PDB file of all heavy atoms in Angstrom:
ATOM      1  N   ARG A 443      -9.680  -4.028 -13.231  1.00  0.00           N
ATOM      2  CA  ARG A 443      -8.376  -3.534 -13.668  1.00  0.00           C
ATOM      3  C   ARG A 443      -7.437  -4.677 -13.996  1.00  0.00           C
ATOM      4  O   ARG A 443      -6.667  -4.607 -14.951  1.00  0.00           O
ATOM      5  CB  ARG A 443      -7.755  -2.620 -12.610  1.00  0.00           C
ATOM      6  CG  ARG A 443      -6.449  -1.982 -13.047  1.00  0.00           C
ATOM      7  CD  ARG A 443      -5.940  -0.965 -12.053  1.00  0.00           C
ATOM      8  NE  ARG A 443      -4.725  -0.328 -12.527  1.00  0.00           N
ATOM      9  CZ  ARG A 443      -3.487  -0.764 -12.258  1.00  0.00           C
ATOM     10  NH1 ARG A 443      -3.315  -1.836 -11.505  1.00  0.00           N
ATOM     11  NH2 ARG A 443      -2.429  -0.142 -12.744  1.00  0.00           N
ATOM     12  N   GLN A 473       7.805  11.035  -0.792  1.00  0.00           N
ATOM     13  CA  GLN A 473       8.188  11.802  -1.981  1.00  0.00           C
ATOM     14  C   GLN A 473       8.777  13.155  -1.584  1.00  0.00           C
ATOM     15  O   GLN A 473       8.029  14.119  -1.366  1.00  0.00           O
ATOM     16  CB  GLN A 473       6.975  12.063  -2.864  1.00  0.00           C
ATOM     17  CG  GLN A 473       6.458  10.868  -3.624  1.00  0.00           C
ATOM     18  CD  GLN A 473       5.283  11.275  -4.484  1.00  0.00           C
ATOM     19  OE1 GLN A 473       4.138  11.246  -4.037  1.00  0.00           O
ATOM     20  NE2 GLN A 473       5.546  11.665  -5.713  1.00  0.00           N
ATOM     21  N   PHE A 528      -9.046   6.032  -3.208  1.00  0.00           N
ATOM     22  CA  PHE A 528      -7.773   6.652  -2.821  1.00  0.00           C
ATOM     23  C   PHE A 528      -6.628   5.655  -2.922  1.00  0.00           C
ATOM     24  O   PHE A 528      -5.513   6.007  -3.343  1.00  0.00           O
ATOM     25  CB  PHE A 528      -7.878   7.205  -1.400  1.00  0.00           C
ATOM     26  CG  PHE A 528      -6.634   7.906  -0.907  1.00  0.00           C
ATOM     27  CD1 PHE A 528      -6.220   9.102  -1.474  1.00  0.00           C
ATOM     28  CD2 PHE A 528      -5.889   7.382   0.141  1.00  0.00           C
ATOM     29  CE1 PHE A 528      -5.084   9.758  -1.017  1.00  0.00           C
ATOM     30  CE2 PHE A 528      -4.756   8.026   0.608  1.00  0.00           C
ATOM     31  CZ  PHE A 528      -4.348   9.220   0.026  1.00  0.00           C
ATOM     32  N   LEU A 529      -6.870   4.401  -2.548  1.00  0.00           N
ATOM     33  CA  LEU A 529      -5.828   3.386  -2.681  1.00  0.00           C
ATOM     34  C   LEU A 529      -5.347   3.277  -4.120  1.00  0.00           C
ATOM     35  O   LEU A 529      -4.156   3.023  -4.372  1.00  0.00           O
ATOM     36  CB  LEU A 529      -6.348   2.016  -2.226  1.00  0.00           C
ATOM     37  CG  LEU A 529      -6.113   1.614  -0.777  1.00  0.00           C
ATOM     38  CD1 LEU A 529      -6.801   2.562   0.188  1.00  0.00           C
ATOM     39  CD2 LEU A 529      -6.567   0.178  -0.544  1.00  0.00           C
ATOM     40  N   ALA A 530      -6.261   3.462  -5.062  1.00  0.00           N
ATOM     41  CA  ALA A 530      -5.917   3.286  -6.476  1.00  0.00           C
ATOM     42  C   ALA A 530      -5.295   4.533  -7.089  1.00  0.00           C
ATOM     43  O   ALA A 530      -4.267   4.452  -7.768  1.00  0.00           O
ATOM     44  CB  ALA A 530      -7.161   2.877  -7.259  1.00  0.00           C
ATOM     45  N   TRP A 531      -5.905   5.708  -6.849  1.00  0.00           N
ATOM     46  CA  TRP A 531      -5.360   6.882  -7.539  1.00  0.00           C
ATOM     47  C   TRP A 531      -4.125   7.453  -6.863  1.00  0.00           C
ATOM     48  O   TRP A 531      -3.245   8.010  -7.547  1.00  0.00           O
ATOM     49  CB  TRP A 531      -6.418   7.954  -7.762  1.00  0.00           C
ATOM     50  CG  TRP A 531      -7.036   8.648  -6.585  1.00  0.00           C
ATOM     51  CD1 TRP A 531      -8.265   8.395  -6.054  1.00  0.00           C
ATOM     52  CD2 TRP A 531      -6.496   9.740  -5.810  1.00  0.00           C
ATOM     53  NE1 TRP A 531      -8.516   9.241  -4.999  1.00  0.00           N
ATOM     54  CE2 TRP A 531      -7.455  10.087  -4.830  1.00  0.00           C
ATOM     55  CE3 TRP A 531      -5.300  10.452  -5.853  1.00  0.00           C
ATOM     56  CZ2 TRP A 531      -7.250  11.102  -3.901  1.00  0.00           C
ATOM     57  CZ3 TRP A 531      -5.087  11.471  -4.937  1.00  0.00           C
ATOM     58  CH2 TRP A 531      -6.049  11.781  -3.971  1.00  0.00           C
ATOM     59  N   SER A 532      -3.996   7.306  -5.556  1.00  0.00           N
ATOM     60  CA  SER A 532      -2.794   7.839  -4.893  1.00  0.00           C
ATOM     61  C   SER A 532      -1.558   7.022  -5.245  1.00  0.00           C
ATOM     62  O   SER A 532      -0.429   7.506  -5.120  1.00  0.00           O
ATOM     63  CB  SER A 532      -2.977   7.857  -3.371  1.00  0.00           C
ATOM     64  OG  SER A 532      -2.970   6.555  -2.825  1.00  0.00           O
ATOM     65  N   THR A 533      -1.757   5.789  -5.717  1.00  0.00           N
ATOM     66  CA  THR A 533      -0.655   4.934  -6.146  1.00  0.00           C
ATOM     67  C   THR A 533      -0.547   4.866  -7.671  1.00  0.00           C
ATOM     68  O   THR A 533       0.206   4.050  -8.204  1.00  0.00           O
ATOM     69  CB  THR A 533      -0.834   3.504  -5.593  1.00  0.00           C
ATOM     70  OG1 THR A 533      -2.074   2.967  -6.066  1.00  0.00           O
ATOM     71  CG2 THR A 533      -0.852   3.512  -4.064  1.00  0.00           C
ATOM     72  N   ARG A 534      -1.317   5.680  -8.331  1.00  0.00           N
ATOM     73  CA  ARG A 534      -1.317   5.805  -9.794  1.00  0.00           C
ATOM     74  C   ARG A 534      -1.746   4.529 -10.507  1.00  0.00           C
ATOM     75  O   ARG A 534      -1.361   4.278 -11.649  1.00  0.00           O
ATOM     76  CB  ARG A 534       0.051   6.271 -10.307  1.00  0.00           C
ATOM     77  CG  ARG A 534       0.398   7.676  -9.842  1.00  0.00           C
ATOM     78  CD  ARG A 534       1.462   8.308 -10.667  1.00  0.00           C
ATOM     79  NE  ARG A 534       1.735   9.669 -10.223  1.00  0.00           N
ATOM     80  CZ  ARG A 534       2.630  10.477 -10.782  1.00  0.00           C
ATOM     81  NH1 ARG A 534       3.328  10.055 -11.819  1.00  0.00           N
ATOM     82  NH2 ARG A 534       2.814  11.689 -10.313  1.00  0.00           N
ATOM     83  N   ARG A 535      -2.551   3.739  -9.847  1.00  0.00           N
ATOM     84  CA  ARG A 535      -3.121   2.582 -10.527  1.00  0.00           C
ATOM     85  C   ARG A 535      -4.276   2.998 -11.424  1.00  0.00           C
ATOM     86  O   ARG A 535      -4.584   2.302 -12.390  1.00  0.00           O
ATOM     87  CB  ARG A 535      -3.564   1.546  -9.499  1.00  0.00           C
ATOM     88  CG  ARG A 535      -2.391   0.767  -8.914  1.00  0.00           C
ATOM     89  CD  ARG A 535      -2.837  -0.159  -7.811  1.00  0.00           C
ATOM     90  NE  ARG A 535      -1.808  -1.134  -7.477  1.00  0.00           N
ATOM     91  CZ  ARG A 535      -0.797  -0.906  -6.642  1.00  0.00           C
ATOM     92  NH1 ARG A 535      -0.681   0.287  -6.052  1.00  0.00           N
ATOM     93  NH2 ARG A 535       0.103  -1.844  -6.399  1.00  0.00           N
ATOM     94  N   VAL A 536      -4.940   4.076 -11.071  1.00  0.00           N
ATOM     95  CA  VAL A 536      -5.959   4.656 -11.943  1.00  0.00           C
ATOM     96  C   VAL A 536      -5.711   6.157 -12.029  1.00  0.00           C
ATOM     97  O   VAL A 536      -5.084   6.751 -11.153  1.00  0.00           O
ATOM     98  CB  VAL A 536      -7.394   4.390 -11.431  1.00  0.00           C
ATOM     99  CG1 VAL A 536      -7.657   2.896 -11.315  1.00  0.00           C
ATOM    100  CG2 VAL A 536      -7.644   5.080 -10.107  1.00  0.00           C
ATOM    101  N   ASP A 537      -6.194   6.741 -13.091  1.00  0.00           N
ATOM    102  CA  ASP A 537      -6.072   8.190 -13.266  1.00  0.00           C
ATOM    103  C   ASP A 537      -7.002   8.879 -12.270  1.00  0.00           C
ATOM    104  O   ASP A 537      -8.204   8.585 -12.224  1.00  0.00           O
ATOM    105  CB  ASP A 537      -6.466   8.554 -14.694  1.00  0.00           C
ATOM    106  CG  ASP A 537      -6.150   9.988 -15.060  1.00  0.00           C
ATOM    107  OD1 ASP A 537      -6.206  10.866 -14.167  1.00  0.00           O
ATOM    108  OD2 ASP A 537      -5.864  10.245 -16.241  1.00  0.00           O
ATOM    109  N   TRP A 538      -6.465   9.792 -11.491  1.00  0.00           N
ATOM    110  CA  TRP A 538      -7.280  10.475 -10.487  1.00  0.00           C
ATOM    111  C   TRP A 538      -8.481  11.174 -11.113  1.00  0.00           C
ATOM    112  O   TRP A 538      -9.518  11.339 -10.464  1.00  0.00           O
ATOM    113  CB  TRP A 538      -6.436  11.469  -9.687  1.00  0.00           C
ATOM    114  CG  TRP A 538      -5.827  12.612 -10.482  1.00  0.00           C
ATOM    115  CD1 TRP A 538      -4.572  12.674 -10.998  1.00  0.00           C
ATOM    116  CD2 TRP A 538      -6.454  13.855 -10.826  1.00  0.00           C
ATOM    117  NE1 TRP A 538      -4.372  13.867 -11.661  1.00  0.00           N
ATOM    118  CE2 TRP A 538      -5.509  14.610 -11.561  1.00  0.00           C
ATOM    119  CE3 TRP A 538      -7.721  14.400 -10.594  1.00  0.00           C
ATOM    120  CZ2 TRP A 538      -5.793  15.877 -12.063  1.00  0.00           C
ATOM    121  CZ3 TRP A 538      -8.008  15.675 -11.103  1.00  0.00           C
ATOM    122  CH2 TRP A 538      -7.061  16.393 -11.817  1.00  0.00           C
ATOM    123  N   ARG A 553      -1.857  20.203  -9.527  1.00  0.00           N
ATOM    124  CA  ARG A 553      -0.414  20.123  -9.321  1.00  0.00           C
ATOM    125  C   ARG A 553      -0.080  19.041  -8.290  1.00  0.00           C
ATOM    126  O   ARG A 553       0.828  18.237  -8.478  1.00  0.00           O
ATOM    127  CB  ARG A 553       0.129  21.478  -8.865  1.00  0.00           C
ATOM    128  CG  ARG A 553       1.661  21.538  -8.798  1.00  0.00           C
ATOM    129  CD  ARG A 553       2.139  22.895  -8.300  1.00  0.00           C
ATOM    130  NE  ARG A 553       1.629  23.991  -9.126  1.00  0.00           N
ATOM    131  CZ  ARG A 553       0.813  24.948  -8.680  1.00  0.00           C
ATOM    132  NH1 ARG A 553       0.417  24.956  -7.418  1.00  0.00           N
ATOM    133  NH2 ARG A 553       0.416  25.895  -9.484  1.00  0.00           N
ATOM    134  N   PHE A 554      -0.845  19.010  -7.217  1.00  0.00           N
ATOM    135  CA  PHE A 554      -0.650  17.992  -6.181  1.00  0.00           C
ATOM    136  C   PHE A 554      -1.024  16.609  -6.699  1.00  0.00           C
ATOM    137  O   PHE A 554      -0.270  15.638  -6.550  1.00  0.00           O
ATOM    138  CB  PHE A 554      -1.502  18.349  -4.967  1.00  0.00           C
ATOM    139  CG  PHE A 554      -1.586  17.282  -3.918  1.00  0.00           C
ATOM    140  CD1 PHE A 554      -0.533  17.079  -3.026  1.00  0.00           C
ATOM    141  CD2 PHE A 554      -2.718  16.485  -3.802  1.00  0.00           C
ATOM    142  CE1 PHE A 554      -0.616  16.081  -2.054  1.00  0.00           C
ATOM    143  CE2 PHE A 554      -2.814  15.497  -2.824  1.00  0.00           C
ATOM    144  CZ  PHE A 554      -1.749  15.300  -1.956  1.00  0.00           C
ATOM    145  N   LEU A 555      -2.182  16.503  -7.332  1.00  0.00           N
ATOM    146  CA  LEU A 555      -2.673  15.206  -7.808  1.00  0.00           C
ATOM    147  C   LEU A 555      -1.787  14.604  -8.874  1.00  0.00           C
ATOM    148  O   LEU A 555      -1.602  13.381  -8.946  1.00  0.00           O
ATOM    149  CB  LEU A 555      -4.104  15.359  -8.326  1.00  0.00           C
ATOM    150  CG  LEU A 555      -5.160  15.673  -7.264  1.00  0.00           C
ATOM    151  CD1 LEU A 555      -6.452  16.152  -7.920  1.00  0.00           C
ATOM    152  CD2 LEU A 555      -5.423  14.450  -6.392  1.00  0.00           C
ATOM    153  N   ASN A 556      -1.204  15.444  -9.716  1.00  0.00           N
ATOM    154  CA  ASN A 556      -0.330  14.958 -10.787  1.00  0.00           C
ATOM    155  C   ASN A 556       1.037  14.527 -10.263  1.00  0.00           C
ATOM    156  O   ASN A 556       1.776  13.839 -10.969  1.00  0.00           O
ATOM    157  CB  ASN A 556      -0.136  16.030 -11.851  1.00  0.00           C
ATOM    158  CG  ASN A 556      -1.380  16.220 -12.716  1.00  0.00           C
ATOM    159  OD1 ASN A 556      -2.186  15.312 -12.859  1.00  0.00           O
ATOM    160  ND2 ASN A 556      -1.530  17.409 -13.282  1.00  0.00           N
ATOM    161  N   THR A 557       1.382  14.937  -9.057  1.00  0.00           N
ATOM    162  CA  THR A 557       2.695  14.616  -8.478  1.00  0.00           C
ATOM    163  C   THR A 557       2.624  13.451  -7.504  1.00  0.00           C
ATOM    164  O   THR A 557       3.549  12.634  -7.412  1.00  0.00           O
ATOM    165  CB  THR A 557       3.285  15.841  -7.755  1.00  0.00           C
ATOM    166  OG1 THR A 557       3.302  16.970  -8.647  1.00  0.00           O
ATOM    167  CG2 THR A 557       4.698  15.567  -7.275  1.00  0.00           C
ATOM    168  N   LEU A 558       1.520  13.338  -6.773  1.00  0.00           N
ATOM    169  CA  LEU A 558       1.405  12.298  -5.742  1.00  0.00           C
ATOM    170  C   LEU A 558       1.575  10.909  -6.360  1.00  0.00           C
ATOM    171  O   LEU A 558       0.942  10.566  -7.338  1.00  0.00           O
ATOM    172  CB  LEU A 558       0.042  12.408  -5.061  1.00  0.00           C
ATOM    173  CG  LEU A 558      -0.171  11.477  -3.863  1.00  0.00           C
ATOM    174  CD1 LEU A 558       0.733  11.868  -2.694  1.00  0.00           C
ATOM    175  CD2 LEU A 558      -1.645  11.507  -3.423  1.00  0.00           C
ATOM    176  N   ASN A 559       2.431  10.096  -5.737  1.00  0.00           N
ATOM    177  CA  ASN A 559       2.673   8.734  -6.216  1.00  0.00           C
ATOM    178  C   ASN A 559       3.169   7.896  -5.046  1.00  0.00           C
ATOM    179  O   ASN A 559       4.365   7.763  -4.809  1.00  0.00           O
ATOM    180  CB  ASN A 559       3.711   8.742  -7.341  1.00  0.00           C
ATOM    181  CG  ASN A 559       3.897   7.368  -7.967  1.00  0.00           C
ATOM    182  OD1 ASN A 559       3.079   6.469  -7.782  1.00  0.00           O
ATOM    183  ND2 ASN A 559       4.971   7.196  -8.717  1.00  0.00           N
ATOM    184  N   LEU A 560       2.235   7.339  -4.294  1.00  0.00           N
ATOM    185  CA  LEU A 560       2.562   6.582  -3.095  1.00  0.00           C
ATOM    186  C   LEU A 560       2.833   5.114  -3.434  1.00  0.00           C
ATOM    187  O   LEU A 560       2.468   4.630  -4.494  1.00  0.00           O
ATOM    188  CB  LEU A 560       1.432   6.697  -2.081  1.00  0.00           C
ATOM    189  CG  LEU A 560       1.055   8.119  -1.664  1.00  0.00           C
ATOM    190  CD1 LEU A 560      -0.113   8.110  -0.689  1.00  0.00           C
ATOM    191  CD2 LEU A 560       2.258   8.853  -1.055  1.00  0.00           C
TER     192      LEU A 560
END
Side-chain angles (χ1 to χ4, degrees):
R443 185 173 183 268
Q473 287 182 271
F528 182 67
L529 267 62
W531 65 258
S532 71
T533 59
R534 295 199 178 181
R535 284 175 166 84
V536 301
D537 190 328
W538 63 264
R553 187 182 304 117
F554 170 78
L555 292 165
N556 287 335
T557 306
L558 186 67
N559 186 16
L560 303 178

